[in-house]
């Protein structure tokens, strides 16, 4: 049996991954029944519900040492990786950390300090890792392992479902923009970028109540990540522009309302959740209970319908296609 | 419950890891009973015998593009990582591959082609991965996942056991030395470096017959890796210099017999197995059956006794301490 695979959304990075997966398919699936879900979702899933994912962070691509301390760099790398467990509604077991770093012992320890803090905050143990000297950039690779009785995939969205998002978007992108232009971001933006909260408990709360037909975490930006749900589920997601919850820090950094929306749609690295729920299952009482529990909002931002891709419905009712999210093989450094 | 941890052998790299593990211990073990074995062995082990490890390869540290094709680089990175499953006597399930690479689609595909071939050769499925642009070196991080009913640890060696090694050592180091000095290595040395064979089937054959009290794969070099068994088991390994099986390619590249022994002891990257077996359990008939099955030799190279570290017994009976293996934070490029 070949393990099911998941369709990906638009982007040059995902074009490469599609070509890789064609090669992989051609080679067959040697491990057979031990693999429940192969590449393409936020985690691979093994028999018994074990979820596993890997996330690479590279200096001057994912972070800059001028902007962040080494502890912050480690924390952020691990939190971003742990967010992939949230995207499956999986409970963390542990992390493995591979670090490539110029030969400075204290640097490695400071990075590991941040990784350890993020793992601890998420209830994950340090399982192991690898240490190598890097001649150039600091490279951090985090493996996350978790478990879910019923992992929530990207592929379960159905026409008629509602589209929801947790929290507010665009603050991390606002921080990057401010740093990039030589300004000092406000504290909320810095915090969003340096200490993202993997929404693990929130995802498990939602999934445990049967409210998530499809689920993804927002790493590449809402437009791009919603596109992955659309592609995996074979549906179209229509997002209401005026419903997208924009973070105050994004509004503060933005030139105008359109620009703030752009940060929220395309900025990426929010590590909030986007999910679909059968219509009317997530009512006001549940949304209020969620906010009381987790201190963040739940916002209905659109609907699922037949078709493909992600469309944006403006205040006037006009519907336009969206671009994708952050794409490593299209754009330059942050 | 805090998952058991394993003591490491000598070396600056392992000094850093020891300091990391002190930090990790101080934070407690959040994931509790799901973790059977934490950091320090070749893989972490989860409840149910799931083994997982991560292995990072960085350009100009682990490989040079002047020496290897991108397919060879990918193959070697994946085979080296899969060797960590052999070191637990685990059966492979799959691999995840994170690649950092300058923005050249074909380069990524060629690396993935090699990774896919190594996974296929070992019977492992491609489970997923991550793709990032690297501003500098190519970085390949391979996660391996496997399963063993009874994973074989480094910590089971007991005084009185014999020390064994599979195959012949020093050929990969011979290739590196020849390339480094501008010569062309012979074909056997190139093959040893570019297409190491993770000894998974061999390890499972040995472990399945109860012949492995402790087991490790030879990545850092026999002296260093034997030191990890000694440290983890709280014993001393005494190796007979004239019993160490030296590869013909190492003899060909070496200045003299001492130099050939040095390549075999300290060269690293052989990816053969070193294991301990209770005295007289591994007899000549079993060794012959092993060689018939796998086409490589089994050689008894020493004994386990009380004490610590690794000692080398010369032909004249004199016993000297050995240095460690390859150490990322002590030596420079290969």
């Amino acid at each position: 049996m070949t393990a099911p695979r998941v369709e990906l959304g638009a982007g040059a990075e995902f074009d490469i991954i599609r070509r890789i997966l064609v090669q992989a398919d051609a080679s067959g699936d040697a491990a057979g029944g031990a693999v429940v879900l192969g590449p393409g979702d936020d985690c691979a899933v093994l028999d018994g519900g074990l979820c596993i994912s890997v996330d690479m962070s590279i200096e001057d691509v994912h972070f800059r040492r001028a902007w962040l301390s080494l502890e912050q760099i480690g924390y952020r790398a691990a939190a971003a990786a742990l967010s992939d467990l949230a995207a499956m509604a999986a409970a963390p077991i542990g992390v493995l950390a591979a670090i490539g770093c110029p030969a400075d012992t204290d640097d490695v320890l400071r990075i590991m300090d941040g990784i350890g803090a993020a793992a601890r905050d998420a209830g994950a143990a340090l399982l192991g890792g690898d240490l190598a000297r890097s001649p150039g950039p600091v490279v951090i690779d985090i493996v996350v392992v978790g478990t879910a009785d019923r992992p929530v995939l990207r592929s379960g969205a159905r026409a008629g479902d509602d589209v929801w998002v947790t929290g507010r978007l665009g603050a991390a992108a606002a921080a990057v923009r401010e740093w990039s232009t030589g300004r000092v971001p406000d504290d909320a933006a810095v915090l969003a970028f340096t200490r993202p909260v993997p929404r693990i408990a929130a995802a498990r709360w939602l999934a445990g109540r049967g409210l998530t037909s499809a689920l993804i975490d927002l790493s590449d930006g809402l437009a791009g990540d919603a596109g992955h749900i659309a592609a995996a589920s074979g549906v179209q997601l229509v997002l209401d522009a005026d419903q997208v919850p924009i973070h105050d820090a994004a509004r503060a950094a933005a030139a105008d309302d359109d620009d703030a929306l752009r940060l929220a749609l395309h900025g990426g690295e929010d590590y909030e959740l986007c999910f679909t729920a059968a219509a009317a299952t997530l009512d006001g009482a549940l949304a209020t209970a969620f906010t009381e529990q987790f201190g963040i909002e739940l916002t209905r931002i659109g609907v699922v319908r037949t078709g493909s891709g992600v469309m944006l419905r403006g205040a006037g009712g006009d519907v336009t296609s969206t671009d994708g999210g952050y794409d490593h093989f299209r754009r330059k450094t942050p």
Side-chain angles (χ1 to χ4, degrees), chain A residues 6-10 154-158 163 214 216 222-238 274 276 303-311 322:
Chain A
V6 183
E7 294 303 318
L8 294 160
R154 298 175 176 180
S155 53
R158 296 292 170 260
V163 183
I216 195 169
L222 176 60
D225 290 319
H228 293 312
I229 288 183
S233 300
V235 296
Q236 181 174 86
L237 270 59
V238 183
C274 176
T276 56
V303 294
V304 180
R305 64 185 191 186
T306 57
S308 65
V310 179
M311 306 298 283
T322 65

Side-chain angles (χ1 to χ4, degrees), chain A residues 290-297:
Chain A
F290 178 91
T291 298
E292 281 172 5
Q293 177 100 25
F294 300 106
I296 51 172
E297 295 159 58

